[in-house]
Amino acid sequence: QVQLVESGGGLVQAGGSLSVSCAASGRTSSIYRVGWFRQAPGKGREFVAGINWSGDSIGYLNSVKGRFTISSDNAKNTVYLQMNSLKPEDTAVYYCAARAESPNEYRYWGQGTQVTVSA
């Protein structure tokens, strides 16, 4: 089993920055890839960014490219999402999730952290 705990959310004005973290524990040797997802009120959950546990193969949602940066620190079993130039439409609960190499589905999820961007 893998446990994921997010931290670092909060309230920020438009144009500001926030960094959220995802700390993994348990059977971290089974983690192949970690993703950040978000869910805004009344909307479905969407993929935001992903990174292999090795630190490569990074991908982003088009609307956050150039503003968000995902990174990993294996020594700390932590994945970070640095969010710059935040917009009100980035307001959501942000979740991190982890998966093994196979099957290709995110099996482990954190509890989420709220990010609110005021206009």
Side-chain angles (χ1 to χ4, degrees), residues 7-19:
S7 61
L11 172 66
V12 66
Q13 287 188 330
S17 298
L18 274 177
S19 179

Side-chain angles (χ1 to χ4, degrees), residues 19-85:
S19 179
V20 289
S21 302
C22 173
S25 61
R27 199 179 170 199
T28 57
S29 60
S30 67
I31 297 175
Y32 175 73
R33 187 167 181 83
V34 174
W36 281 99
F37 296 77
R38 66 187 181 187
Q39 186 164 20
K43 296 187 177 180
R45 187 166 55 196
E46 66 177 351
F47 168 82
V48 176
I51 187 170
N52 281 0
W53 196 240
S54 59
D56 60 1
S57 191
I58 291 174
Y60 296 98
L61 176 70
N62 281 343
S63 63
V64 308
K65 283 181 181 177
R67 300 189 297 122
F68 290 13
T69 302
I70 190 171
S71 61
S72 64
D73 184 338
N74 284 16
K76 296 182 178 180
N77 288 332
T78 300
V79 173
Y80 306 93
L81 184 68
Q82 175 66 41
M83 302 179 288
N84 299 328
S85 301

Side-chain angles (χ1 to χ4, degrees), residues 67-114:
R67 300 189 297 122
F68 290 13
T69 302
I70 190 171
S71 61
S72 64
D73 184 338
N74 284 16
K76 296 182 178 180
N77 288 332
T78 300
V79 173
Y80 306 93
L81 184 68
Q82 175 66 41
M83 302 179 288
N84 299 328
S85 301
L86 282 160
K87 304 175 181 179
E89 52 263 43
D90 294 318
T91 295
V93 177
Y94 283 70
Y95 299 90
C96 69
R99 68 172 180 89
E101 185 166 11
S102 177
N104 184 13
E105 61 177 291
Y106 286 92
R107 178 179 178 183
Y108 305 104
W109 291 83
Q111 82 287 352
T113 185
Q114 177 71 47

